[in-house]
Amino acid sequence: MNQGPDDLNSTGEFDSDELALRRLLHQAVQEMEPRDGTLDHLRKAVPARRARKRQAVVGMAAAALFFGTAIPAVVHVSATGTSANTSNAGHTSQMQGGAGQGKQEDGGESTSGGSAGKPDDKGKGGSKDPDKGKTAGASTGASSGTDPSATTSTSAAVCTAAQLSTPTASTAVPDASGTVYGTFHVTNGSTAACTVTGPGIVTTSAQGAADSSKVGALRHVSGDAASAGLPDPSQEVSQLVLQPGSSYDVKFAWVPSETCPTSEPSTDPSPDPSASPDTSTGTGSSTGGDTGTSTQLVTEGGTLDGSVLVTNTAEGGGPSVSTTVSNACAGVVYWTGVLASS
């Protein structure tokens, strides 16, 4: 225990009561020992406590600095604009900016009052009015023009047979494998836009020596026998808006599986008059040079004529257009969906 002046008697020594109390306190704590790690804990806890005190002091200083800077700003705002609200202040700032721009761009003496009084004045050369004019002009031109291009918009009614009344069909020459590619070209011949919602249907008809049981039609898919010449199905569209004069295509390919059959050789049983036996002799027997055998005429066989009629009927039952694939007796027609004409 620390000794103080009040604990000593007049002779400079402790009183008997004080000495007895000190002995009791010493005896009470003489067997007490600190736990293991107490010293390490104190070494860590004391610096941490000091750090917290420093942080508290720094926070209080920052708060004092904030209030010290915020209060003059509030006083300044209240002193300069007590009657103006935030919306008026923003409006005034915009008007002042407009006046400055007017002086810089036009070189005039426009004021904020003049610009506020005439917000729609088109004679001042403002940037908004020319942009509005250009936008309106572009919109009018797009809506009133007759652009023949097709779009994927769905703002037009479904095409009728009357609007698609002039389809055409064409085929190319067979390639090295005998495959024949063709196109059905359908045009909107009306004066109003319309929407095509599908390619319609493609059918086949065997003619001549063609075998109807070996002729069919299938939708084109990736990797089929016609993939080398037909567009990938990813290029097809589910619906297409045709402007007046614009078109769409449905392409097809005839892939033969067999060639047309050939005819069997034919025998002509009629005898050749020049080879008739000589009956001028009285004996009725023929000479050694005259055998009496007639000559048989043989005609070589040829390829039979077969073809396939390919027909496309537009969505909704019409119109229809057909084309003929010659020298075709067995095979499959692969056909695409709606393709925008290039």
Side-chain angles (χ1 to χ4, degrees), residues 53-67:
K53 288 183 178 180
R54 285 196 299 269
Q55 292 175 357
V57 172
V58 172
M60 293 176 63
L65 179 62
F66 172 76
F67 285 110

Side-chain angles (χ1 to χ4, degrees), residues 302-313:
T303 302
L304 297 179
D305 185 16
S307 61
V308 174
L309 184 69
V310 185
T311 303
N312 173 232
T313 303

Side-chain angles (χ1 to χ4, degrees), residues 291-330:
T291 61
T293 303
S294 62
T295 303
Q296 302 294 322
L297 299 180
V298 179
T299 303
E300 294 297 333
T303 302
L304 297 179
D305 185 16
S307 61
V308 174
L309 184 69
V310 185
T311 303
N312 173 232
T313 303
E315 194 77 12
S320 298
V321 61
S322 301
T323 185
T324 300
V325 180
S326 302
N327 193 25
C329 293

Side-chain angles (χ1 to χ4, degrees), residues 15 144 175 196 231 263 310:
D15 294 334
S144 61
D175 62 10
V196 177
S263 60
V310 185

